[in-house]
Amino acid sequence: MILSDITDIKQTPQRLAIIEYLELNRVHPSALDVYKAVSEKFPTMSFATVYNTLEKLKEKRLIIELSIDTGKKRFDCDTRPHHHLICVKCREIFDVFTEFILELPEDEFQGFDIIGNHVDFYGICKKCKDIEGLGSEQNKD
Amino acid sequence: MILSDITDIKQTPQRLAIIEYLELNRVHPSALDVYKAVSEKFPTMSFATVYNTLEKLKEKRLIIELSIDTGKKRFDCDTRPHHHLICVKCREIFDVFTEFILELPEDEFQGFDIIGNHVDFYGICKKCKDIEGLGSEQNKD
DNA sequence: TCCTAATTTAGAATCAATTTAAGTTGAGAA
DNA sequence: TTCTCAACTTAAATTGATTCTAAATTAGGA
């Protein structure tokens, strides 16, 4: 997402702050993350503004909405095609730019017109591994 | 999931009805779908029972919880490793049993211990294609 | 500068999911 | 058989994320 891409929507201070936050925090934040950070600059800002802005940016295809967490939307300001590496402990999401050739055999098509694919890799991130290692005697999952 | 796998939890009539529903409706239903269907048989059954049962079955690894829809959990009673084919219009989910070899190059590991992967294919299902075709003049997304 | 549609705001409403507390059930012990 | 206790079910309250609403404000073009 590039600021200059935002042409046909009004450039309000709140929106610019939200966009700046997304540009600088590429950890796939939730709406709450965005709200918390941006409302420090704009204490009167409401949640609706965050959601409205994120929705608008999504419409303009400047960000992508992720369904990786149930019960919570997360947003990705990198719209290049890519995959994800997700920590099953802390739910941090990392980007993966390797391309994979995924040919679905015809008999699995189920009558679909296929338009894309996405791979999620699951694992345990370095930080969570280290924490696990430390507490190995009184290990609780 | 097989009934006989359920050993160390009580086999109540409500639970058996929920399991039967999951066995017969492999469309990856939501908790609401399960509740709607099973409460026809047990009109006094509460939502909490559905959630408790689904949670318990998940713990026992007899079903899988999917995060494909934001804001709503969906459940898959097929615990064999497999991928999904998702209609971007109606959100129906189909199973894909083709196996893919997905080698993540070392420099993309980001310090993770990788434990698995999952592929989502996106497309438009036959039903939605047909509906689209019909209304091609007054086409609305 | 003026105008107007777009945007922001606080608060209410909604929806999915979880928690709570009270009542029920059923398998094993006495 | 009756007692007991833990597991289970239930309705209702609560939480958390999101959406809606209606009134006030504002960006950006005329």
Side-chain angles (χ1 to χ4, degrees):
Chain A
M1 180 175 50
I2 309 159
L3 263 178
S4 62
D5 287 337
I6 300 141
T7 50
D8 51 351
I9 63 172
K10 285 189 183 175
Q11 295 195 23
T12 68
Q14 292 91 333
R15 282 184 178 172
L16 294 177
I18 290 169
I19 291 164
E20 189 195 10
Y21 174 79
L22 291 174
E23 290 289 358
L24 295 173
N25 296 277
R26 292 170 170 270
V27 293
H28 311 79
S30 67
L32 181 65
D33 295 331
V34 176
Y35 174 74
K36 273 190 196 154
V38 179
S39 63
E40 280 178 26
K41 253 192 199 168
F42 295 89
T44 70
M45 194 181 58
S46 93
F47 241 107
T49 300
V50 174
Y51 280 108
N52 288 343
T53 300
L54 292 171
E55 184 58 32
K56 201 129 269 179
L57 294 173
K58 196 180 84 181
E59 269 172 34
K60 302 279 167 217
R61 297 183 198 283
L62 298 170
I63 62 172
I64 298 165
E65 186 185 299
L66 307 179
S67 316
I68 281 169
D69 278 1
T70 24
K72 188 153 71 183
K73 293 177 178 179
R74 296 183 62 167
F75 297 90
D76 192 340
C77 69
D78 200 325
T79 54
R80 290 174 292 172
H82 65 282
H83 305 290
H84 288 124
L85 180 49
I86 302 156
C87 178
V88 296
K89 294 261 176 195
C90 67
R91 307 300 296 172
E92 269 211 62
I93 302 169
F94 295 80
D95 287 328
V96 168
F97 287 98
T98 303
E99 284 178 45
F100 300 98
I101 293 151
L102 297 166
E103 296 281 4
L104 198 58
E106 194 110 10
D107 64 335
E108 292 256 45
F109 270 51
Q110 324 237 21
F112 268 63
D113 278 354
I114 293 172
I115 55 184
N117 63 61
H118 179 88
V119 183
D120 286 324
F121 290 92
Y122 296 98
I124 299 173
C125 73
K126 182 139 193 349
K127 225 186 294 170
C128 289
K129 254 192 296 184
D130 292 349
I131 293 166
E132 245 181 16
L134 284 171
S136 56
E137 308 90 65
Q138 64 270 31
N139 213 336
K140 50 199 121 173
D141 188 89
Chain B
M1 180 174 49
I2 310 159
L3 262 177
S4 61
D5 288 339
I6 300 141
T7 51
D8 49 351
I9 62 173
K10 281 192 187 172
Q11 295 194 23
T12 69
Q14 292 90 337
R15 283 185 175 169
L16 295 176
I18 290 169
I19 291 163
E20 188 195 11
Y21 175 79
L22 292 173
E23 290 289 356
L24 295 173
N25 296 277
R26 293 171 169 267
V27 293
H28 312 80
S30 66
L32 181 65
D33 295 332
V34 176
Y35 174 73
K36 273 191 197 153
V38 179
S39 64
E40 280 178 26
K41 253 193 201 166
F42 294 90
T44 71
M45 193 182 60
S46 92
F47 240 111
T49 299
V50 174
Y51 281 110
N52 288 344
T53 300
L54 292 172
E55 186 59 31
K56 202 129 269 180
L57 293 173
K58 196 180 84 182
E59 269 171 32
K60 302 279 166 216
R61 298 184 197 285
L62 299 170
I63 61 172
I64 298 164
E65 185 184 300
L66 307 178
S67 316
I68 281 168
D69 278 0
T70 23
K72 190 156 67 182
K73 293 176 179 178
R74 296 182 62 166
F75 297 89
D76 192 338
C77 69
D78 200 326
T79 55
R80 290 174 291 171
H82 65 281
H83 305 292
H84 288 123
L85 180 48
I86 303 157
C87 178
V88 296
K89 295 262 175 195
C90 67
R91 308 299 297 171
E92 269 210 62
I93 302 169
F94 295 80
D95 288 329
V96 168
F97 287 98
T98 303
E99 284 179 45
F100 300 98
I101 294 152
L102 298 165
E103 295 281 3
L104 198 59
E106 193 109 10
D107 64 337
E108 292 256 44
F109 269 50
Q110 323 237 21
F112 268 63
D113 278 352
I114 294 172
I115 54 183
N117 63 61
H118 179 88
V119 183
D120 287 324
F121 290 91
Y122 297 98
I124 299 173
C125 74
K126 183 141 194 344
K127 226 186 294 171
C128 289
K129 253 193 295 182
D130 291 348
I131 293 166
E132 243 180 17
L134 285 172
S136 57
E137 307 91 64
Q138 66 269 29
N139 213 333
K140 53 198 114 160
D141 188 271

